[in-house]
Amino acid sequence: MRLRSRRLRESCGRNWLIGPRGKSAGTANPARMAETTEAPLWHENEPAKVESWRLHILLEAGYPVHLAERIAVSEVDLHDAVQLLTRGCDPVTATEILL
């Protein structure tokens, strides 16, 4: 990346890069940083959302509810679960294979 329109200025005994609009490029806004670092990466309800989405995919594929619920909470690969049914496997047999 090519830096254009920047000039070096001495301020408070330190060198600072000054951007094209005269704003310091070397300083960070502490309030903004606090907002960023405090944002939760994993919400408490995320696992429930994932489980719900997996259940939806399995139901659309043709699994009955009671089997789809068992598969949705497991570590089973959804692609494998859906592919078994699209190849003509019975949902009960597919569940036995997967679990």
Side-chain angles (χ1 to χ4, degrees):
M1 181 168 106
R2 186 174 171 189
L3 298 175
R4 289 187 260 153
S5 301
R6 291 195 180 212
R7 64 186 181 271
L8 200 55
R9 181 181 77 173
E10 180 132 343
S11 174
C12 299
R14 296 172 60 185
N15 290 331
W16 294 87
L17 283 176
I18 303 300
R21 295 187 181 128
K23 294 186 178 182
S24 172
T27 61
N29 181 349
R32 179 76 174 143
M33 286 179 58
E35 291 174 17
T36 304
T37 57
E38 291 177 13
L41 297 176
W42 184 259
H43 299 288
E44 290 180 19
N45 62 350
E46 278 302 307
K49 288 180 183 179
V50 172
E51 185 180 317
S52 175
W53 172 78
R54 288 174 56 91
L55 180 63
H56 174 76
I57 297 297
L58 293 164
L59 292 172
E60 279 190 341
Y63 282 92
V65 175
H66 69 285
L67 296 177
E69 288 174 338
R70 287 182 54 204
I71 297 170
V73 298
S74 72
E75 298 281 326
V76 169
D77 187 317
L78 287 184
H79 294 99
D80 293 339
V82 172
Q83 195 172 49
L84 283 170
L85 292 190
T86 58
R87 291 184 176 180
C89 190
D90 179 66
V92 175
T93 306
T95 304
E96 290 174 2
I97 292 169
L98 295 165
L99 298 176

